[in-house]
Amino acid sequence: MRCLLLSEHPVQVLFFASFSEKMVKKNSRVSVHSMLTAVSSQPVGSGKTHPLSVLDHAMGLHTVHVVFYYKRNPFGIFDVDPLRIALSEVLCLYPQVTGRLTRGESGNWLVKCNDAGVRVLRAKVEATMDEWLRSADGSEEKDLTFWEEIPEEPSTWSPFRIQVNEFEGGGVAFGLSCTHMNADPTSITILFKSWIESHRQEPIEHPPLFSSTTLHHQQVPNSSIKSDNYYATKGNAETPSVKMVTATFKFSDSAIKKWLDEVHVQCAKATPFELLAALFWTRVAHLKAPKNDNKHSLSICLDFRRLVQPPISLGYFGNALHFSLLTLDEEEMDYGKLGHVVELVHRHISDVGEEEIWSVVDWFESQKEEGGKYAEPFRMYGPELTCVSMEHMIIGHKSLMFSASFKSDEKPVHVSCHVGNVRGEGLIVVLPSVEEGLARTVMVTLPEEEMPKLCEDQAIHCLQPTMLIGGR
């Protein structure tokens, strides 16, 4: 592969002028035409490394893909100097992002902070943005982020990718992807937001925190916490591979308010996430084959940065996710009792506390092999239906996902979040929406044969969703 160093500015960026064939997906409307390697404008100190945490290692089977859509291209051509320089400047704060994965003496993963850089790709989309949002499916949307599986020898492999996709007639989508070991969706969002703040020459609102002691605590482990058994069972579960598809539903502020009023008697303190988690859980349950024990389980994934004391900074770069299980019987899942299910989801989330969170961290630590090597990862998103909350990204009336604005009037019109290697019953991700207030976006990943029925479900259509990617 031939490369050319662009050195007319202090910032050094490698431009790769040719591509291997695997970078271009056949029959895709997304065509990658160039690639850069962006490095930080200031080199990191020699020999610096960053060990991945026990929770980072636990996410080793998954990837994260976040896409930010802008109706208008806010800067014309991507590699203009100010934006390129802003990226290199913000990468000075993220040496773990520009580094490369390697194994330490114990066999655990760590990042060698060697300034190797972040892969940045440019692509053209053979559709307008409106056409794309109407017609693309979840698999095609992933073409907006470029990914290669981690090789056996990852010393030259970039675990972080940024893909800039330009649509016909204007508009651009930024697709960020990484191994889930390196970062969770919150970390990726804050990284992108920091890049834009650097471009606007504004202070970085949430500077990155990479402290390896962040997940250490002083509490006495409680082995009786029920989530410990849940994680142990999950680790032994077998999940056959089937084709999964994704659809996106957008719910307005007024629709969510109306339905929160409907369930107010049963659950006066219900949140939009709890309402939508209960609604989609009950509707997906109706699509599944009856179970022998007449039980339905939902794995609820919460970001715990603000659930512990003292709170962990939103800038903490890594994984701070807690999964816990809620199981109900067939009668409780009846749609006529949606308010009751909302109340049970609300109660379950309210009961998640520090003791349970740290107990799970302790459980993962206890699985170390002799010599200190962490246990092999297992599938965290599965086998049961999993529902992820991004409610913590809304602070007051401000959504951090939609505050990533190149200009004051050019915030994203849509943000999506995919998790790679999901198996089992499926995944529900509840995100903030571009509309302020209680509006939410729900991305649902299910086995292919189940999705058409969900998209036609009348209980969901009572909330009058706008159907986007894969929902038509």
Side-chain angles (χ1 to χ4, degrees):
M1 184 175 287
R2 179 171 59 89
C3 64
L4 172 66
L5 182 64
L6 301 182
S7 57
E8 64 271 24
H9 294 279
V11 179
Q12 292 185 332
V13 179
L14 290 176
F15 172 75
F16 292 82
S18 60
F19 303 92
S20 60
E21 290 186 1
K22 63 183 176 182
M23 291 184 63
V24 180
K25 186 175 178 181
K26 292 183 178 180
N27 302 319
S28 174
R29 290 183 288 176
V30 181
S31 177
V32 176
H33 58 80
S34 62
M35 182 169 70
L36 307 165
T37 297
V39 300
S40 59
S41 57
Q42 298 178 7
V44 69
S46 175
K48 183 175 181 179
T49 61
H50 170 69
L52 298 187
S53 75
V54 63
L55 294 188
D56 295 337
H57 280 79
M59 308 305 295
L61 295 185
H62 301 288
T63 55
V64 180
H65 313 261
V66 183
V67 182
F68 297 84
Y69 290 86
Y70 292 83
K71 194 71 171 179
R72 291 183 295 168
N73 190 328
F75 41 79
I77 301 174
F78 168 67
D79 56 349
V80 294
D81 290 337
L83 194 64
R84 179 165 58 88
I85 292 173
L87 176 58
S88 292
E89 287 178 347
V90 82
L91 288 177
C92 293
L93 303 175
Y94 288 87
Q96 286 80 351
V97 171
T98 57
R100 295 293 180 262
L101 285 171
T102 187
R103 293 279 191 180
E105 291 183 4
S106 64
N108 293 327
W109 288 108
L110 56 84
V111 179
K112 185 177 182 181
C113 304
N114 57 4
D115 290 316
V118 176
R119 299 284 190 262
V120 183
L121 300 93
R122 290 185 59 194
K124 291 287 187 182
V125 184
E126 295 178 2
T128 66
M129 183 173 291
D130 288 339
E131 291 170 344
W132 176 267
L133 292 174
R134 287 196 307 266
S135 63
D137 58 27
S139 176
E140 196 173 20
E141 186 176 41
K142 287 184 180 179
D143 291 345
L144 300 180
T145 65
F146 179 70
W147 190 248
E148 289 178 312
E149 294 301 323
I150 181 171
E152 291 186 11
E153 176 46 61
S155 60
T156 61
W157 175 82
S158 175
F160 287 88
R161 314 292 173 94
I162 300 173
Q163 183 167 313
V164 184
N165 307 277
E166 296 179 86
F167 290 86
E168 292 181 354
V172 64
F174 291 84
L176 285 75
S177 57
C178 71
T179 61
H180 212 318
M181 281 196 304
N182 287 75
D184 60 15
T186 298
S187 299
I188 292 297
T189 300
I190 297 299
L191 169 62
F192 181 67
K193 183 172 179 290
S194 297
W195 176 20
I196 294 179
E197 287 166 347
S198 176
H199 172 68
R200 297 185 64 173
Q201 298 184 330
E202 296 176 349
I204 303 301
E205 184 177 9
H206 302 286
L209 171 65
F210 294 98
S211 173
S212 60
T213 63
T214 300
L215 299 185
H216 293 177
H217 57 95
Q218 303 298 320
Q219 290 182 249
V220 177
N222 184 346
S223 60
S224 66
I225 296 294
K226 61 184 179 180
S227 287
D228 291 6
N229 294 328
Y230 158 59
Y231 279 85
T233 302
K234 180 190 286 285
N236 295 321
E238 294 185 4
T239 51
S241 177
V242 299
K243 184 177 180 181
M244 308 291 283
V245 297
T246 301
T248 299
F249 306 76
K250 295 185 72 171
F251 298 93
S252 68
D253 173 72
S254 59
I256 297 296
K257 282 181 178 177
K258 176 183 176 182
W259 276 77
L260 286 175
D261 288 342
E262 292 282 340
V263 302
H264 185 268
V265 173
Q266 294 92 349
C267 187
K269 296 182 179 180
T271 67
F273 170 75
E274 292 159 354
L275 170 68
L276 292 167
L279 174 64
F280 277 89
W281 183 21
T282 55
R283 304 322 299 160
V284 170
H286 280 265
L287 304 177
K288 305 290 184 183
K291 298 186 178 182
N292 294 333
D293 59 359
N294 291 321
K295 300 285 187 182
H296 295 279
S297 295
L298 181 69
S299 176
I300 298 177
C301 175
L302 304 174
D303 186 293
F304 64 76
R305 287 171 173 83
R306 298 196 163 198
L307 298 180
V308 297
Q309 294 297 327
I312 298 173
S313 167
L314 281 175
Y316 172 68
F317 202 86
N319 284 277
L321 299 178
H322 176 77
F323 295 76
S324 59
L325 193 68
L326 174 61
T327 300
L328 302 180
D329 60 34
E330 190 76 38
E331 183 179 354
E332 289 178 302
M333 291 294 291
D334 187 283
Y335 175 68
K337 301 178 180 178
L338 178 62
H340 176 62
V341 178
V342 174
E343 167 61 22
L344 293 176
V345 172
H346 171 79
R347 191 183 307 165
H348 177 88
I349 292 174
S350 299
D351 286 344
V352 174
E354 284 190 86
E355 187 177 18
E356 178 177 328
I357 292 168
W358 294 132
S359 178
V360 169
V361 176
D362 289 331
W363 181 85
F364 276 108
E365 290 279 2
S366 73
Q367 305 304 301
K368 285 181 180 178
E369 301 173 5
E370 197 170 331
K373 187 177 186 295
Y374 292 127
E376 290 299 311
F378 49 81
R379 190 161 281 99
M380 299 297 291
Y381 298 90
E384 59 284 317
L385 185 67
T386 304
C387 191
V388 179
S389 170
M390 296 297 288
E391 293 288 288
H392 64 284
M393 298 300 285
I394 302 173
I395 300 176
H397 298 290
K398 177 183 177 183
S399 165
L400 298 185
M401 283 187 151
F402 288 90
S403 63
S405 305
F406 285 93
K407 298 179 181 179
S408 58
D409 60 342
E410 289 179 346
K411 64 182 180 179
V413 295
H414 179 59
V415 178
S416 69
C417 178
H418 293 269
V419 175
N421 202 15
V422 171
R423 291 188 186 179
E425 295 190 6
L427 175 66
I428 302 164
V429 182
V430 181
L431 300 155
S433 187
V434 63
E435 182 186 355
E436 294 183 358
L438 302 181
R440 296 293 185 269
T441 297
V442 181
M443 297 181 63
V444 183
T445 301
L446 293 175
E448 183 178 29
E449 67 274 8
E450 297 176 1
M451 186 61 77
K453 295 179 182 178
L454 184 72
C455 290
E456 296 171 0
D457 189 278
Q458 291 305 304
I460 293 175
H461 280 278
C462 284
L463 273 74
Q464 300 178 320
T466 299
M467 312 291 281
L468 296 180
I469 304 289
R472 294 177 179 273

